[in-house]
Amino acid sequence: MIGTVYPSEKRTYTDEKSGAQITQLTNQGINYHFYFTENSFDLDGKTIYFLSNREHEGTEICNLFKMDLDSGEMVQLTDDPLGVEVGRITKTPDGEYVAYVTGSQLRLYNTKTGENKLLYEEKNHMLLQNLSFSCDKQWIGFNRNEDVDALPDGGPNYAGFKEKMFATKDGRVSVIRLDGSEFHDVFRDTHWLSHFQFSPDNPDIAMFCHEGPWNYVQQRIWMININTGDIWPCFRQTEDDCVGHEFWAQNGDVIFDNRRGGHDGTISNSKSQVYASEHVSAEIPYFGFAHKDGKVYRKINMPFYCNHYFANGDLSMFAGDAVDDILLIQPAEDGTAKMKILAHHNTTWHYQRSHCHPTFSWDGKKLLYAVDTDEWHDNLFLVDVPESI
């Protein structure tokens, strides 16, 4: 029920591998934070917004909650019968607005007033996902893709991923004003479009991707001018590149992961790649830095790849989720990096919500991640980030 307050479930323990003090924030049912590009933390670092199936125990119906990180108290903010899924919710950095999709509806929730209004309802056979607010709070952008029903119900993570990529022939970038007064498609393509993200410092610029196993996608990352619909590639891929998990740094640059040829960018409950090629490149994987013009200006070589990378505000520290551990990565000017295990997560990787998606607080002092240790109970964990490793 909206407004229900749940008591703290916090507990602190010492990580078995790193010796770090870990705070488990939840211990009941399904709980997971926003996708790492959308950052669950409030700007002040005292509150997180997350999804949980409380009130709908025994189902996968999750609604929006917020947690006071000091007290651990949780408050339910929405109670939509169809719930909300990962990848279909975002918020403004200051936490004033949350936009989410439930069923075929795009809704806008004001955390200060409690107003929850319908902005848009999809009447066609299309899926709404990958929401993002423009930095001036004038627009919500998102992807609309034809619903090709290629993903099997109940299958492990990434089941049907390649089939959906080939089946999707109508993908769009769409925008709507926060007051609902204007909606239109900015761009239309013959690919499955995903990962729409507005620039954090320019409301006219955004990026999106061609979705699918990375070794099947010829050009993953695209920049777009929201006013004109013009697009241009970010990092022009060659045959020996497998690129993905792009995100905006706080300074307005783009960070991306290049695992090199043959890697598919997936990990499932087998803790291995789903569509990996037999012919894997011997080139060194790296994460790259690019400006808005799409040109790469820096690369950090990695001895192996993590599933997701994320960076703190000044790009002095990165986090990654390896198969079993959360890693801290400190890049150096010479293109190398020091690495340290911060926490042993041991997640199953069975669902998208099982992906750890390590996320820095806005000040870079804390790291939030999710773990699913039994393919059903997902919980949230918080750890302090050292200044150096």
Side-chain angles (χ1 to χ4, degrees):
M1 181 182 297
I2 293 174
T4 300
V5 178
Y6 292 83
S8 174
E9 298 170 359
K10 290 168 60 175
R11 75 177 184 97
T12 301
Y13 64 93
T14 301
D15 185 80
E16 61 188 52
K17 281 192 174 181
S18 69
Q21 292 296 110
I22 311 292
T23 300
Q24 181 174 340
L25 297 175
T26 62
N27 67 8
Q28 296 181 30
I30 296 172
N31 307 271
Y32 55 102
H33 57 317
F34 293 8
Y35 196 64
F36 72 102
T37 59
E38 307 311 310
N39 207 324
S40 283
F41 283 97
D42 217 339
L43 277 176
D44 62 10
K46 297 179 180 179
T47 302
I48 61 167
Y49 293 85
F50 68 103
L51 296 171
S52 177
N53 72 340
R54 296 159 202 272
E55 289 286 313
H56 295 280
E57 290 84 354
T59 77
E60 296 186 55
I61 298 172
C62 294
N63 272 280
L64 176 65
F65 288 72
K66 71 174 180 179
M67 177 188 293
D68 182 300
L69 290 176
D70 289 333
S71 69
E73 274 194 349
M74 298 164 279
V75 181
Q76 185 169 349
L77 302 179
T78 67
D79 194 10
D80 292 285
L82 296 179
V84 186
E85 299 175 8
V86 65
R88 298 185 178 184
I89 188 165
T90 187
K91 68 174 187 63
T92 54
D94 61 7
E96 180 180 6
Y97 293 107
V98 177
Y100 66 94
V101 174
T102 179
S104 60
Q105 295 185 350
L106 169 59
R107 305 194 66 88
L108 180 67
Y109 176 73
N110 186 316
T111 64
K112 290 181 167 43
T113 66
E115 180 187 18
N116 190 328
K117 64 180 181 180
L118 174 65
L119 275 188
Y120 174 79
E121 186 161 13
E122 182 60 53
K123 303 296 185 182
N124 300 311
H125 198 54
M126 303 191 78
L127 297 175
L128 313 180
Q129 53 198 152
N130 312 121
L131 313 179
S132 181
F133 285 96
S134 60
C135 60
D136 60 3
K137 296 184 182 180
Q138 296 298 305
W139 295 94
I140 298 170
F142 50 100
N143 294 123
R144 293 197 301 146
N145 292 288
E146 62 174 326
D147 187 356
V148 294
D149 298 324
L151 303 181
D153 292 335
N157 191 32
Y158 289 112
F161 190 52
K162 182 175 70 172
E163 291 79 2
K164 182 173 181 179
M165 183 199 76
F166 281 109
T168 303
K169 306 302 181 187
D170 185 356
R172 309 183 191 189
V173 171
S174 306
V175 293
I176 190 168
R177 287 196 179 274
L178 264 64
D179 62 6
S181 63
E182 182 181 351
F183 163 85
H184 64 273
D185 292 332
V186 177
F187 176 72
R188 185 172 180 175
D189 207 341
T190 57
H191 295 264
W192 176 11
L193 305 185
S194 189
H195 279 215
F196 178 85
Q197 303 167 58
F198 266 112
S199 163
D201 62 352
N202 186 334
D204 299 329
I205 303 297
M207 69 174 164
F208 66 92
C209 77
H210 283 175
E211 187 62 281
W214 298 3
N215 50 347
Y216 285 89
V217 174
Q218 294 182 353
Q219 176 61 42
R220 164 84 180 197
I221 312 171
W222 294 89
M223 314 299 288
I224 185 168
N225 184 305
I226 295 299
N227 296 320
T228 66
D230 292 336
I231 65 169
W232 58 98
C234 180
F235 173 63
R236 290 176 176 267
Q237 288 180 230
T238 67
E239 186 177 359
D240 202 31
D241 296 311
C242 287
V243 173
H245 289 153
E246 60 285 339
F247 65 91
W248 290 103
Q250 289 185 34
N251 68 357
D253 289 343
V254 176
I255 314 294
F256 64 90
D257 176 8
N258 188 354
R259 300 184 188 177
R260 310 312 298 251
H263 290 277
D264 66 1
T266 69
I267 189 169
S268 192
N269 56 350
S270 63
K271 296 194 174 182
S272 62
Q273 298 183 84
V274 182
Y275 306 102
S277 169
E278 294 180 0
H279 306 288
V280 176
S281 171
E283 294 292 326
I284 297 172
Y286 64 85
F287 52 88
F289 301 65
H291 294 306
K292 290 184 180 68
D293 61 6
K295 295 180 180 178
V296 177
Y297 67 89
R298 186 184 183 192
K299 297 177 182 178
I300 301 296
N301 291 332
M302 294 293 294
F304 57 86
Y305 63 84
C306 294
N307 202 43
H308 307 86
Y309 295 108
F310 198 52
N312 65 1
D314 63 6
L315 303 180
S316 64
M317 193 77 73
F318 283 68
D321 48 2
V323 173
D324 293 312
D325 301 308
I326 301 293
L327 301 179
L328 275 185
I329 304 157
Q330 191 169 14
E333 290 300 322
D334 64 359
T336 62
K338 291 194 295 183
M339 302 177 67
K340 174 185 177 181
I341 293 176
L342 184 62
H344 180 61
H345 62 72
N346 196 33
T347 192
T348 68
W349 302 99
H350 190 77
Y351 304 100
Q352 267 292 321
R353 65 173 186 262
S354 310
H355 285 196
C356 301
H357 293 144
T359 304
F360 283 99
S361 57
W362 293 95
D363 62 8
K365 294 181 179 180
K366 295 185 182 298
L367 197 73
L368 176 69
Y369 61 96
V371 171
D372 165 18
T373 55
D374 63 2
E375 298 187 5
W376 183 252
H377 293 88
D378 301 79
N379 285 300
L380 295 171
F381 295 79
L382 193 68
V383 58
D384 289 338
V385 178
E387 292 185 2
S388 63
I389 59 176

